[in-house]
Amino acid sequence: MKWSSSFGLRLLPLAVLASVGFVLACGGAEEPAAPRAADPAAPAPTAASMMMEDPAAPRKPDQPAPAAPAPTAMAAMAPVLKPTPVVETGPIIQYTPPDEPVGAPKQGGTVLWAVGNTPSVDWSCHTTFRGGVSQHVYEGFFVFDDQRVEALPLSLESWSLSDDSSSYTFTLRDGQTFHDGTPVESADAIASTERWFGSTHAIAGEVFGLIKPVTHEVVDSTTYTMSMGRPFGLWPVYQAFNGAWIQPEEISNTNPHECIDTRTQVIGSGPYSYIEWIPGDRVSMERFADYKPRSEPANGAGGGKIAYFDRINAVVVPDHSTRIAGLKTGQIHIVASDVPGDFKADLQADPDVNVAVIGPGRPPYLVFNLGTKPFNNKKARQAVLMAADMEAWMTAAYGAGADWTLDGAVFMSDGPWATQVATEKYYKPDGIDLDAAKALMAEAIAEENYDGEVVVLGGNDTQFGRGSSAFTQQLLESLGLTVNRPNVDWATVIGWKNANPEQAGTPGVSHCARDIKPGANAPGDGWNMYHTRTAPFDPLTLEPASINWSCGWLVNPDDYSIPRGAARVEAGVQGALQPLTDKWLAAATLEDARAAIDEIQEFIYEEVRYIQLGATLGLMAFRNEMAYTPTAGGFVLTGAWFK
Amino acid sequence: MKEYVAQRVLAMLPVLLIVAVFTFSLVHIVPGDPAIILAGDSGTPEAVANIRERMGLDKPIYQQFYVWLTNALQGDLGISPASRVPVADQIMRRLEPTLSIGVFALLLSILMAVPLGVLAAWKQNTWVDRLSMVFAVLAFSIPVFWLEYNMIYLFAVNLEWFPALGYKPISEGIGQWLRHITLPAIAVGIISAALPARVTRSTMLEILKEDYVRTARAKGLIERAVLLRHALKNAMVPILTMFGLSLAAMIGGLVISEQVFAIPGMGRLIVDAVATRDYPLIQGTLLLIAVSYVVINLLIDLTYLYFDPRIRY
């Protein structure tokens, strides 16, 4: 059965959870295996078969393919719904296009795009690769539309999901070539997917843990199949979220934990080819003449990506004020994100500059270490939430003029899985009950018999880190706690969070220190809470990310030996949220999916493993000489030109 | 003399070894594990272990030092884990902007500080003296970034005489190169002129009271000759020391100006390296700065010979 992307996403409300429920109901593996439904449209597999077991291990060309997995009850499962987003509203975007006509598109020019720090060019060895450079140099499998609701195929001509939702058939677009002139073929797509599985991205590890074993089969040079160990209809959505980019097979087959050589190995098949990366200075790209755009009109980060600029220079300008000065003088054409809110009014008044506010929100969090007193006690965490004036907290973190919103939705109010359940009760911009919070904290302290300091970490090298942690300190002190807030930078915070000399070197085990040393002033001395920011969560990555964050999201918080990452998936250790996530994954209808999301959100607010402070919005500014339309689907400079 | 220079160069070797040991240890004392930072906020223990092994951080520290030192002696300062670009290449690329601004700023500061100091001493207790010292105190007190932001606002945004940011190498044309380094060099030059101006004034004041100055005047020399040939030349030893140390400091110390003007120089290289705990890069840059201090000190000592022939090594 062929799925068009829109058809798939709108109708998907039938798939994943039902399968899990069905397996359980049928007694799992005892159910006689039925033959996998063949896809009549797909040609018979002919070429090499590859099964992915250990994504981190480089595959040797002469290594025999592992045996195919034994038939399981999977084949008998009811098809899961491809869970479509449970809301249909898109992200916030505030932008008024200029009145004057932009004229016909024309090629030429070098666009200077200011970035705050060195953008990474290796999508697999850094956690912050998505967007920016990769969007231009590489071609991914799926990208989001302009509303971030629908996953659109990019390098794929077509794709289909088998009736039992456990096997995909992908067909690459004809005529795609890498920047070194070699054609993009199935083997490259497969190797890139496998590199993604083995990369450091939490989302890739989780998806792989969920659907393994994964077997790829090459059908012909542009068609291949991917069979999974369980029904999974969300592949396109997760690829659009933070998926793989296609690289030549020999580059993908190198160790995914080792960064590629940025001088010779940055080869993609996107609309711009990579010239060079000078760390701390710039990344340069030039229009790739052999790129063949899709025939559809541009849509978000997808559709027909037409390159008009001859060259893109991503220029590193670390200082906000200088970036804005550069924009005003024409030395910079676009600042795609992170324009401080303080500059908004000034830029809006500048006739040469356009300003746009773009969602989705990027939430800041306060994360508790669940293994240390008194915050191993739920009441202590609830007391902090109860005493939190979110508006004051966000103002402390970002300033009064900044672009942020109060948003307590775990999956963001403008995100595809938004719900407002429990926010009214727990997420309070005002009307806090300090007395009740104090009483609850006193109760927790008494129960835990705790009289020590509370160690609060925040990277003091950013306004967010400084402001939010200073506010937290004040808040905790108002609850009667003694606070130790060391003056450290973000790099130290990360090291501190994961430092435990006693456990260091134990493979797969979280290294968080359990005890707080009095007067803690160095990594290893323990911590109670820290402040961080990340891309919005989604139901699948919420639990694994939280485990890595908070040193455990545990069935039993006293068990600190819980393995993390791939080791956790391998050991089959589940966090407390897993049953709810499974429920969501198996939702067969939109209503089921919404109900599961509601339950997850209620659980989050009841347990308070972390506190979401709100959401920041991206503020973008660009010069008038650019014909450019901002989109929430992802930042990309194709489709824009100089007037 | 030759013997002295040879001795000094040989004496540099133990100093450099100590510097190397310090550089290496400092980086390892600073909290923050580069493997954890590279793996990111949600990095799993497997990813951290992999990165640690790849970077050789799982080896004993003395082994890491031995490998680093033997490689460094052969000009190989290692490879940045994030970009896989050799540290030596990165440093070479960053030296030009920093040296351009540093040398330009140093020249400007000499041109400002020495005449101001001499004038102030010559016209002691007059408005010239007071005005010069007001300048010196202001330049000493103003934060360099404040001056730079205001210069950007005035000369780049409003008057559009100079670019607001960036750097063009000298190979792309002297005009463009000069335009890009002028604002940062003036700002750094003004700030760096403050202390030498005061030192010049006080040294000159002392020297102007010396007998030989009185003799020079008594024998009818014109004032310019008295000031420049007899007094200033004798005052040059402490002034030179100050400028020499300024230059050495600028090689690694233009951090703020490079940040404000988005100039890809040594200062930003160090800041970025520290923020990402890029060990090879931090060690390489610190070593280079330490070596420049040692070499510049040697050169200053040698120039004393010219200005004060009484000095004999």
Side-chain angles (χ1 to χ4, degrees):
Chain A
M1 175 175 112
K2 284 272 176 197
W3 290 70
S4 81
S5 53
S6 61
F7 173 71
L9 280 170
R10 301 289 172 197
L11 286 194
L12 269 196
L14 279 186
V16 177
L17 250 198
S19 62
V20 174
F22 191 83
V23 175
L24 293 174
C26 295
E30 287 169 23
E31 182 70 15
R36 187 160 64 84
D39 183 349
T46 54
S49 164
M50 288 176 282
M51 187 174 72
M52 203 55 195
E53 275 294 7
D54 179 5
R59 186 163 41 81
K60 297 186 182 111
D62 54 352
Q63 197 174 321
T72 64
M74 172 197 81
M77 292 172 187
V80 286
L81 165 67
K82 240 184 348 178
T84 186
V86 298
V87 293
E88 291 182 357
T89 55
I92 297 168
I93 180 154
Q94 299 163 4
Y95 171 64
T96 314
D99 293 335
E100 71 264 31
V102 293
K106 55 183 182 198
Q107 283 194 342
T110 297
V111 64
L112 300 168
W113 152 40
V115 292
N117 50 29
T118 303
S120 166
V121 293
D122 183 355
W123 60 267
S124 76
C125 95
H126 297 278
T127 51
T128 53
F129 71 88
R130 186 89 186 181
V133 175
S134 299
Q135 294 274 24
H136 299 91
V137 173
Y138 295 106
E139 198 85 323
F141 294 98
F142 290 91
V143 285
F144 275 120
D145 68 344
D146 59 358
Q147 294 297 299
R148 282 185 81 83
V149 169
E150 194 173 322
L152 308 171
L154 187 58
S155 61
L156 299 171
E157 185 62 46
S158 64
W159 59 282
S160 64
L161 179 60
S162 65
D163 290 342
D164 65 358
S165 300
S166 65
S167 173
Y168 286 91
T169 301
F170 299 112
T171 303
L172 294 163
R173 282 195 289 132
D174 267 340
Q176 294 184 91
T177 54
F178 287 113
H179 301 145
D180 63 0
T182 55
V184 177
E185 297 189 335
S186 299
D188 302 306
I190 292 170
S192 301
T193 307
E194 292 178 351
R195 184 177 180 83
W196 184 72
F197 283 143
S199 68
T200 54
H201 303 298
I203 198 169
E206 281 309 311
V207 169
F208 181 69
L210 187 75
I211 65 175
K212 71 175 186 173
V214 176
T215 311
H216 283 110
E217 285 180 4
V218 174
V219 176
D220 59 34
S221 63
T222 54
T223 305
Y224 64 99
T225 61
M226 183 177 83
S227 302
M228 304 168 293
R230 62 166 286 170
F232 184 63
L234 284 166
W235 181 260
V237 179
Y238 279 97
Q239 284 298 303
F241 254 124
N242 207 343
W245 303 92
I246 302 179
Q247 289 171 299
E249 186 185 9
E250 59 277 14
I251 296 175
S252 293
N253 283 346
T254 56
N255 182 352
H257 289 129
E258 193 157 328
C259 299
I260 58 173
D261 188 326
T262 55
R263 292 166 301 176
T264 56
Q265 292 184 311
V266 185
I267 298 170
S269 54
Y272 283 89
S273 63
Y274 168 88
I275 304 172
E276 63 176 345
W277 173 27
I278 306 171
D281 183 10
R282 65 173 186 268
V283 177
S284 302
M285 299 161 266
E286 66 186 351
R287 189 175 54 237
F288 177 46
D290 292 339
Y291 178 77
K292 292 189 177 55
R294 299 183 72 88
S295 53
E296 305 95 314
N299 183 354
K305 293 169 78 171
I306 302 174
Y308 293 111
F309 298 120
D310 290 339
R311 198 170 165 136
I312 299 174
N313 280 350
V315 187
V316 181
V317 185
D319 187 83
H320 288 304
S321 310
T322 313
R323 238 176 286 161
I324 302 305
L327 189 71
K328 282 169 156 287
T329 56
Q331 269 191 284
I332 293 294
H333 296 113
I334 183 162
V335 185
S337 60
D338 288 339
V339 174
D342 309 357
F343 291 101
K344 190 178 173 188
D346 180 35
L347 288 172
Q348 278 173 330
D350 189 328
D352 296 331
V353 176
N354 295 297
V355 180
V357 177
I358 298 176
R362 188 168 179 244
Y365 300 99
L366 170 72
V367 181
F368 293 103
N369 180 347
L370 301 177
T372 52
K373 289 181 178 182
F375 298 100
N376 56 337
N377 191 318
K378 188 162 56 172
K379 288 177 188 166
R381 305 192 299 267
Q382 286 172 332
V384 176
L385 178 61
M386 201 181 275
D389 174 347
M390 297 303 182
E391 186 161 7
W393 210 339
M394 285 298 284
T395 308
Y398 294 104
D403 281 281
W404 48 264
T405 55
L406 290 170
D407 191 351
V410 167
F411 304 115
M412 313 314 298
S413 295
D414 61 351
W417 294 296
T419 174
Q420 295 302 331
V421 165
T423 53
E424 200 177 318
K425 181 176 168 193
Y426 294 108
Y427 182 86
K428 292 177 183 169
D430 49 26
I432 57 164
D433 190 344
L434 191 59
D435 291 336
K438 269 184 184 169
L440 197 59
M441 181 60 84
E443 219 176 293
I445 287 173
E447 280 174 21
E448 298 303 325
N449 193 22
Y450 183 75
D451 63 353
E453 286 176 342
V454 172
V455 178
V456 176
L457 300 177
N460 277 355
D461 48 343
T462 63
Q463 185 192 328
F464 161 72
R466 272 192 311 276
S468 58
S469 61
F471 186 89
T472 305
Q473 176 172 11
Q474 204 180 351
L475 190 155
L476 295 173
E477 284 168 352
S478 72
L479 292 174
L481 295 164
T482 309
V483 177
N484 171 5
R485 185 165 68 92
N487 185 8
V488 287
D489 67 351
W490 173 243
T492 307
V493 170
I494 298 182
W496 191 318
K497 183 177 87 70
N498 291 325
N500 181 357
E502 287 166 23
Q503 283 181 313
T506 317
V509 170
S510 167
H511 297 165
C512 298
R514 296 195 63 176
D515 302 313
I516 311 285
K517 280 192 193 156
N521 64 3
D525 290 354
W527 56 280
N528 292 98
M529 53 187 80
Y530 82 110
H531 299 78
T532 187
R533 290 175 285 186
T534 185
F537 281 133
D538 69 89
L540 190 57
T541 53
L542 175 60
E543 174 147 279
S546 307
I547 288 175
N548 287 342
W549 267 7
S550 55
C551 306
W553 176 287
L554 316 173
V555 180
N556 172 12
D558 290 334
D559 178 8
Y560 238 63
S561 61
I562 188 166
R564 300 194 304 153
R568 181 182 61 76
V569 175
E570 194 61 40
V573 179
Q574 290 194 339
L577 190 62
Q578 196 65 47
L580 300 181
T581 310
D582 281 343
K583 212 166 168 181
W584 173 75
L585 274 170
T589 66
L590 205 54
E591 286 65 38
D592 289 350
R594 284 197 179 114
I597 293 287
D598 288 351
E599 276 188 68
I600 290 174
Q601 183 145 315
E602 269 184 86
F603 178 89
I604 298 289
Y605 270 106
E606 183 60 29
E607 290 292 310
V608 204
R609 307 297 170 106
Y610 64 80
I611 294 176
Q612 180 175 318
L613 311 185
T616 57
L617 298 170
L619 187 54
M620 163 193 274
F622 55 96
R623 288 193 59 87
N624 250 346
E625 54 258 39
M626 276 177 78
Y628 172 77
T629 309
T631 163
F635 171 67
V636 64
L637 282 164
T638 49
W641 67 89
F642 284 125
K643 292 174 194 167
Chain B
M1 170 73 184
K2 274 182 197 159
E3 219 171 83
Y4 171 74
V5 174
Q7 265 176 16
R8 283 294 302 265
V9 170
L10 281 177
M12 274 169 60
L13 295 179
V15 173
L16 289 179
L17 183 68
I18 293 168
V19 163
V21 172
F22 265 101
T23 307
F24 189 84
S25 328
L26 262 181
V27 168
H28 285 80
I29 290 167
V30 173
D33 180 335
I36 289 175
I37 290 158
L38 266 182
D41 191 8
S42 310
T44 60
E46 295 81 32
V48 173
N50 255 307
I51 295 169
R52 194 171 277 138
E53 191 186 334
R54 164 160 54 93
M55 291 173 72
L57 297 170
D58 53 343
K59 296 196 176 71
I61 197 152
Y62 65 88
Q63 270 187 29
Q64 293 182 43
F65 178 67
Y66 176 76
V67 170
W68 175 72
L69 188 65
T70 46
N71 287 339
L73 286 174
Q74 297 161 48
D76 174 6
L77 293 171
I79 288 175
S80 269
S83 61
R84 300 273 299 275
V85 175
V87 169
D89 288 5
Q90 295 193 51
I91 290 178
M92 290 314 288
R93 227 182 235 278
R94 300 301 191 95
L95 265 178
E96 189 196 305
T98 300
L99 279 179
S100 303
I101 296 170
V103 171
F104 192 11
L106 187 72
L107 285 177
L108 290 174
S109 72
I110 292 173
L111 289 177
M112 284 184 269
V114 175
L116 272 181
V118 172
L119 268 178
W122 185 42
K123 300 282 181 194
Q124 195 193 359
N125 295 332
T126 64
W127 65 270
V128 178
D129 181 18
R130 290 198 188 94
L131 202 65
S132 308
M133 287 309 103
V134 164
F135 164 80
V137 170
L138 272 181
F140 194 70
S141 323
I142 290 173
V144 69
F145 64 87
W146 183 89
L147 185 63
E148 287 170 340
Y149 283 137
N150 282 291
M151 286 172 75
I152 290 177
Y153 184 72
L154 183 64
F155 296 113
V157 176
N158 283 345
L159 298 172
E160 298 184 11
W161 291 352
F162 296 101
L165 56 95
Y167 175 77
K168 289 269 186 259
I170 199 164
S171 56
E172 288 183 26
I174 288 186
Q176 276 301 316
W177 171 73
L178 262 180
R179 264 170 56 80
H180 280 82
I181 64 171
T182 300
L183 284 187
I186 291 177
V188 175
I190 288 175
I191 304 291
S192 327
L195 208 55
R198 290 189 67 91
V199 171
T200 307
R201 176 182 179 270
S202 57
T203 317
M204 284 291 287
L205 279 177
E206 274 177 38
I207 288 172
L208 287 175
K209 289 177 193 141
E210 293 282 338
D211 291 345
Y212 62 84
V213 173
R214 196 179 312 121
T215 308
R217 282 184 176 141
K219 72 183 180 185
L221 279 184
I222 56 168
E223 195 62 13
R224 193 180 60 194
V226 173
L227 275 179
L228 299 185
R229 207 182 314 146
H230 290 260
L232 182 60
K233 195 174 172 190
N234 280 299
M236 278 314 278
V237 169
I239 297 172
L240 257 184
T241 311
M242 294 234 62
F243 283 122
L245 292 178
S246 285
L247 179 65
M250 279 177 196
I251 289 175
L254 290 174
V255 177
I256 295 171
S257 305
E258 287 175 9
Q259 195 85 355
V260 169
F261 286 98
I263 289 165
M266 289 291 292
R268 274 203 25 231
L269 187 67
I270 297 167
V271 171
D272 289 348
V274 171
T276 53
R277 300 292 192 270
D278 187 334
Y279 278 10
L281 197 52
I282 302 175
Q283 287 158 350
T285 44
L286 286 186
L287 189 67
L288 177 89
I289 291 165
V291 171
S292 8
Y293 262 92
V294 173
V295 172
I296 288 172
N297 260 317
L298 174 64
L299 293 178
I300 293 170
D301 283 357
L302 294 179
T303 51
Y304 290 166
L305 293 175
Y306 170 75
F307 287 105
D308 191 350
R310 289 170 301 181
I311 296 175
R312 283 284 172 269
Y313 293 122

